[in-house]
Amino acid sequence: MKLGYGWARFARGAALGSMLGAVLVLGTQGAQAADIPLQRVVQVEAGTHTLVRESAVIKRVAVGDPAIADVNVINGREVLVSGKKLGITSLMVWTGPNPIEYRIRVGAIKDPVQPATTDPELREAVVEKGYSLQGKLPNLTAHRRAQIAAANGKDQAPDTSVVDLDTQVLTQIKIAEVNRTVAQRYGFNFFKNVGNTTGGIAGPGGLTGVQGGSVSGGGGFNSPSPAPYQLNSGSGFVPLQDAFSLVFGSAADGLLGVLSVLEGKGMARVLAEPSLTAMSGQTASFLAGGEFPIPVAQGGGNTSGAITITYKEFGVRVNLTPTVLSRDRIALKVAPEVSDLDFTAAIQLNGVAVPALSVRRTDTTVELGDGESFVISGLVSSNLVQNVDKVPWLGDVPILGAFFKSASTDRTNRELVMIVTPHLVRPLARAAKLPSLPGQAYDSTTPDYGRLVFEEKGDFKPADYGFGR
């Protein structure tokens, strides 16, 4: 049967419309449609609409999950699809006995960040909200902002970005301590033998007892006449053993006196400069010192009373964890410690003196730039101890009271400062010349015997020796 020109054109148009309806893909890429070859894919963003058109009259529609997408029949051949939340669901459209199935993909709104206008640090990154994060970022804080911009609600977008940072940090720590002490002490002892009478003045602890009866060879203080008593001084009549003593006396008169006066000043300085290199985010430790043994008594079972040895570390210790935030910001968790053996506070354990430890320790977290320095801790302390021992009433007499008392003053001033300085560093290139090591100038020195005997001055300079091996 032959058709007229008008009918033939209508038939070709209907066939073309049917073919277009069979391969309808709205808002998707070819790869997404290829995932579901037998289904039509409808791509819609959350909070937006899209139309699905059919070539025949729509009789009925159904959606798989109304929480993801909502559908409404607009007219006989159009369905309005509204995206509600991220997800995938199905849509069934009946225009005949067999339904047409669609796959609805609801995605996030594509809103690429424009680094030139919103954030200069993101100019080399591609940030698509809800989709991806790509490109190069200058620091961790910019990377975090880009992650927030790329995320959509609680969903994390795929991240293939790169943070362009040096990751190795050299941390220099300076620990400086000055300890100044001032001591002043005064004491006076006086003894007198007269015939059968002995008398004296001794400071606390200077007199250990009194012995009755005469002393052979004269009095208790080398007096010519026998003395009825001898005063036993544990310190040999010296009020202060470590002080300067002025002794005066007369054997003929049975007179002996000792005046002890002491003024002492001292200063001790401790300087430690440990350095340690660590990767960003990793913890490193450093110890320059030693270990001292501690005897420990065991109890229970067959080992009761046995002694074992444990070791305690001391010296200069550093624990640090650097985190590189950007090229000019470093977060540093650092814990430096300096400890010394203190035998003045030692304890006796099974006949062994176990020393105590004098410790200066800091544990803190700071943020600073490459090459900047921060005082992370400091201590200024002053201790003053004064003591006066005197005879009641007599010690209060002006001027003469000095012969009836002893006094001491001890003052200690301590200053402690800890400073940290981090540096971003890179390894030396292969075959690069290494810096001089401590004592390297002496590696090849071989002093000859004649120079060692006749010319050695003890300066130990490399130029004073011959070289070669």
Side-chain angles (χ1 to χ4, degrees):
M1 184 175 80
K2 295 182 178 180
L3 298 175
Y5 175 77
W7 284 101
R9 186 175 62 179
F10 174 79
R12 287 195 302 270
L16 180 59
S18 177
M19 292 175 62
L20 291 175
V23 296
L24 179 62
V25 178
L26 301 177
T28 63
Q29 298 178 353
Q32 293 174 320
D35 296 340
I36 312 171
L38 300 179
Q39 298 173 338
R40 299 178 175 93
V41 179
V42 177
Q43 183 75 43
V44 62
E45 297 173 352
T48 63
H49 307 281
T50 189
L51 281 176
V52 176
R53 293 182 177 88
E54 296 293 342
S55 58
V57 176
I58 298 173
K59 300 178 179 179
R60 184 160 59 97
V61 297
V63 65
D65 188 353
I68 295 177
D70 191 14
V71 296
N72 294 287
V73 179
I74 302 301
N75 52 49
R77 296 189 180 185
E78 292 181 338
V79 176
L80 181 65
V81 179
S82 302
K84 299 178 69 174
K85 73 173 186 179
L86 300 182
I88 300 175
T89 186
S90 62
L91 170 64
M92 308 291 288
V93 179
W94 281 268
T95 60
N98 297 321
I100 302 172
E101 183 177 354
Y102 293 89
R103 180 62 58 87
I104 301 176
R105 297 178 183 270
V106 179
I109 299 175
K110 288 189 176 182
D111 183 20
V113 175
Q114 302 298 327
T117 58
T118 59
D119 194 336
E121 291 187 328
L122 306 185
R123 60 181 177 272
E124 297 185 17
V126 178
V127 183
E128 292 184 316
K129 187 173 182 181
Y131 284 86
S132 65
L133 171 59
Q134 304 176 20
K136 184 183 294 185
L137 295 162
N139 53 64
L140 293 180
T141 55
H143 179 262
R144 181 56 183 163
R145 294 198 304 273
Q147 284 184 323
I148 296 174
N152 184 71
K154 296 182 180 179
D155 298 323
Q156 181 66 46
D159 186 356
T160 59
S161 62
V162 176
V163 180
D164 186 17
L165 285 177
D166 292 326
T167 59
Q168 299 190 88
V169 180
L170 169 65
T171 303
Q172 296 177 322
I173 302 175
K174 293 185 178 181
I175 304 171
E177 181 183 20
V178 176
N179 189 3
R180 294 182 292 269
T181 59
V182 177
Q184 294 178 327
R185 291 180 175 85
Y186 159 80
F188 179 75
N189 282 356
F190 176 78
F191 299 98
K192 175 64 173 147
N193 279 342
V194 179
N196 295 327
T197 303
T198 300
I201 300 173
L207 190 64
T208 60
V210 178
Q211 178 179 348
S214 62
V215 180
S216 60
F221 311 109
N222 295 324
S223 61
S225 60
Y229 297 100
Q230 179 183 11
L231 305 182
N232 298 324
S233 173
S235 61
F237 305 122
V238 179
L240 302 176
Q241 285 289 333
D242 299 329
F244 292 92
S245 298
L246 303 178
V247 182
F248 56 91
S250 173
D253 298 331
L255 178 65
L256 177 63
V258 179
L259 174 64
S260 294
V261 180
L262 173 65
E263 180 177 0
K265 296 181 180 180
M267 185 189 74
R269 183 174 186 263
V270 176
L271 177 64
E273 297 187 29
S275 299
L276 188 61
T277 301
M279 292 186 62
S280 177
Q282 302 298 316
T283 300
S285 61
F286 169 89
L287 174 65
E291 297 182 346
F292 65 95
I294 301 176
V296 178
Q298 302 296 310
N302 297 328
T303 61
S304 178
I307 301 297
T308 60
I309 300 297
T310 61
Y311 289 86
K312 177 69 175 180
E313 296 177 345
F314 71 96
V316 179
R317 173 188 290 277
V318 176
N319 293 315
L320 63 87
T321 305
T323 301
V324 181
L325 302 178
S326 65
R327 292 185 179 275
D328 58 353
R329 301 309 295 172
I330 301 172
L332 184 64
K333 178 177 175 57
V334 59
E337 175 184 313
V338 178
S339 57
D340 301 314
L341 298 180
D342 185 4
F343 286 92
T344 61
I347 62 173
Q348 296 291 329
L349 182 61
N350 293 327
V352 178
V354 180
L357 285 178
S358 176
V359 181
R360 285 81 74 199
R361 179 188 299 125
T362 296
D363 189 348
T364 185
T365 301
V366 293
E367 182 178 327
L368 62 172
D370 181 11
E372 294 181 347
S373 298
F374 218 125
V375 178
I376 60 174
S377 66
L379 171 66
V380 177
S381 64
S382 178
N383 299 326
L384 176 63
V385 178
Q386 290 184 313
N387 185 58
V388 176
D389 297 312
K390 61 183 179 180
V391 178
W393 302 299
L394 295 179
D396 297 329
V397 176
I399 301 177
L400 295 179
F403 297 99
F404 300 94
K405 66 181 179 182
S406 62
S408 64
T409 299
D410 294 283
R411 182 187 296 274
T412 302
N413 295 326
R414 174 174 295 180
E415 297 180 16
L416 173 66
V417 175
M418 293 187 181
I419 304 173
V420 295
T421 306
H423 299 275
L424 291 174
V425 294
R426 294 182 179 180
L428 294 174
R430 181 183 300 178
K433 183 179 180 180
L434 298 177
S436 299
L437 301 178
Q440 185 175 352
Y442 297 92
D443 288 347
S444 58
T445 59
T446 55
D448 57 75
Y449 190 77
R451 181 182 295 275
L452 180 65
V453 174
F454 299 104
E455 299 182 13
E456 179 58 58
K457 300 179 181 179
D459 295 334
F460 302 111
K461 297 180 180 179
D464 294 339
Y465 299 92
F467 289 86
R469 290 189 179 278

